[in-house]
Amino acid sequence: MSTIKETDKNHIFFSKIMLFGEYSIILGSMGLTIPYAHFNGGLGFINSNNYTDLDYARESNRLIKDYYQYLCELETSGKLPPDFNISRFKTEIDAGLYFESSIPEGYGLGSSGALVASLYQRYAGDGKSSGNKITGREISALKNKMALLESYFHGTSSGIDPLICYLKHPLLLKDQENIIPIDIPRYEIKSDDAIFLVNSGKPGKTAPLVKQFLMDCENPVYLGKMKNEYITLNNNCINSLIEGNVRNFFKNLNELSIFQAINFRRMIPENLEEGWQFGLSTGEYCLKLCGSGGGGFVLGFTHNYSGTLERFSQKGLNVIPVYQLVKK
């Protein structure tokens, strides 16, 4: 029976967080995404020295079999990336291949992206998986392959989620085709500034929300507001963050949070609406969407992490730290 090689066991793929760019990247804005190691996944084989939930592994194997059929359709139509070894994939599915993952599905953290990244690495990997040692042209080509492979899960895919999971390095999206690895400034920890996730307690569904957003954009007034206001706010947040200008960053972030509260209300989980407004009214923290919304996590930023953590805990909401932003 096929086995995952000892070296392959190191190929664990992280979840991702889209810090900025949700919805706006569809319209050509900048985007900023980071790998998030707290949740991760990797390939394994059922009953191959793995101690896991057997029912989970069997269900994962069944879902991968369904995915294989999609790849067969791509192969038949001539769209499957030529470097993807589909025959080896089928052999290893029959041998009990499954995806062991702690990434929650429907939470905006790239669960399908991590799966696609792991499959690409095993069945089509070219060794160019180091995010800071790959050219822009290679990134663009890789993203297009990833988009095709992930489209099975959402109907359409930009390829960005599996790309960030595969490269394991922060990426700045200047636009859909101009993507570069980037280092985000991090200063010595001297204060209580932080970025965190708040768990709404239920998954969201990406496809219907994106479909509705695109329908809304058919309205010229709504589209104008997205292009002239939302994209500007989004890009200002990214630029101030990568420049390390914390004061401007939080100013832009507050405006972005207000905009989303007004114009993306259907995407905000109902049990987080009150907390969203509380943060804006008190200035204790700011919340924004993390992914398509509707459920899953929202992303938070604060100067007072300990106080913010206590407040959400009192509301029965789970908070997970991402990393700290510390003032110069």
Side-chain angles (χ1 to χ4, degrees):
M1 185 184 74
S2 300
T3 59
I4 299 292
K5 296 178 181 178
E6 191 66 32
T7 53
D8 289 338
K9 291 181 180 179
N10 295 323
H11 291 147
I12 300 299
F13 292 86
F14 305 149
S15 61
K16 62 84 191 179
I17 293 177
M18 177 70 78
L19 291 180
F20 295 98
E22 62 286 331
Y23 292 103
S24 63
I25 60 172
I26 298 174
L27 303 176
S29 80
M30 296 172 65
L32 183 62
T33 182
I34 62 172
Y36 185 47
H38 182 74
F39 297 107
N40 56 74
L43 296 171
F45 287 92
I46 296 174
N47 292 332
S48 180
N49 298 319
N50 287 331
Y51 298 93
T52 190
D53 181 336
L54 188 57
D55 289 337
Y56 169 91
R58 286 171 173 164
E59 177 64 10
S60 175
N61 177 260
R62 185 191 68 77
L63 294 173
I64 289 176
K65 285 180 181 177
D66 292 342
Y67 179 65
Y68 166 75
Q69 295 301 322
Y70 166 73
L71 296 190
C72 288
E73 294 173 7
L74 290 182
E75 184 181 40
T76 300
S77 63
K79 296 179 180 179
L80 183 71
D83 52 357
F84 195 97
N85 191 336
I86 193 170
S87 61
R88 181 190 178 196
F89 184 37
K90 176 62 166 61
T91 297
E92 296 196 340
I93 291 173
D94 293 340
L97 183 75
Y98 77 103
F99 188 61
E100 182 75 54
S101 174
S102 63
I103 307 171
E105 297 181 16
Y107 275 67
L109 296 181
S111 57
S112 62
L115 171 60
V116 168
S118 67
L119 293 177
Y120 184 85
Q121 185 278 325
R122 184 161 179 82
Y123 301 105
D126 55 8
K128 299 182 187 304
S129 59
S130 178
N132 57 359
K133 296 180 180 179
I134 185 171
T135 68
R137 181 175 296 180
E138 289 169 338
I139 287 178
S140 181
L142 182 58
K143 182 184 79 72
N144 292 337
K145 291 180 183 179
M146 295 289 194
L148 188 63
L149 294 174
E150 199 196 20
S151 292
Y152 169 80
F153 299 97
H154 303 302
T156 59
S157 169
S158 67
I160 294 169
D161 281 8
L163 180 68
I164 182 68
C165 294
Y166 184 71
L167 296 179
K168 303 176 185 176
H169 193 88
L171 296 176
L172 173 64
L173 291 69
K174 293 187 175 181
D175 54 50
Q176 285 280 0
E177 298 302 325
N178 190 2
I179 304 172
I180 59 173
I182 190 172
D183 291 318
I184 300 174
R186 299 178 69 173
Y187 308 107
E188 291 184 19
I189 298 175
K190 297 179 181 178
S191 75
D192 210 17
D193 291 353
I195 296 179
F196 58 92
L197 295 169
V198 184
N199 190 348
S200 71
K202 67 174 185 178
K205 295 183 179 180
T206 297
L209 289 171
V210 172
K211 181 179 179 180
Q212 183 61 53
F213 174 75
L214 293 175
M215 290 177 61
D216 290 342
C217 285
E218 294 176 3
N219 181 329
V221 175
Y222 185 85
L223 180 61
K225 183 180 292 187
M226 292 298 115
K227 287 188 172 182
N228 299 324
E229 298 179 40
Y230 186 47
I231 286 180
T232 298
L233 290 172
N234 176 82
N235 292 355
N236 286 344
C237 285
I238 293 174
N239 287 326
S240 57
L241 179 59
I242 62 179
E243 291 167 2
N245 191 328
V246 177
R247 177 176 296 181
N248 281 350
F249 172 71
F250 275 95
K251 175 181 177 295
N252 293 322
L253 176 65
N254 185 72
E255 294 177 7
L256 180 75
S257 181
I258 293 172
F259 186 94
Q260 289 191 345
I262 297 172
N263 298 282
F264 290 85
R265 187 172 181 181
R266 77 167 68 91
M267 290 83 158
I268 298 174
E270 291 183 5
N271 63 336
L272 295 179
E273 286 186 20
E274 186 274 335
W276 194 300
Q277 293 298 333
F278 179 85
L280 288 174
S281 62
T282 63
E284 184 174 321
Y285 56 82
C286 274
L287 299 181
K288 65 175 293 295
L289 296 177
C290 180
S292 58
F297 292 105
V298 298
L299 197 58
F301 302 77
T302 183
H303 288 304
N304 180 19
Y305 181 64
S306 56
T308 299
L309 177 61
E310 181 179 359
R311 185 179 192 282
F312 280 113
S313 296
Q314 290 174 351
K315 297 291 184 179
L317 295 166
N318 183 37
V319 173
I320 305 173
V322 176
Y323 66 84
Q324 290 192 322
L325 280 174
V326 180
K327 293 178 285 187
K328 289 183 178 179

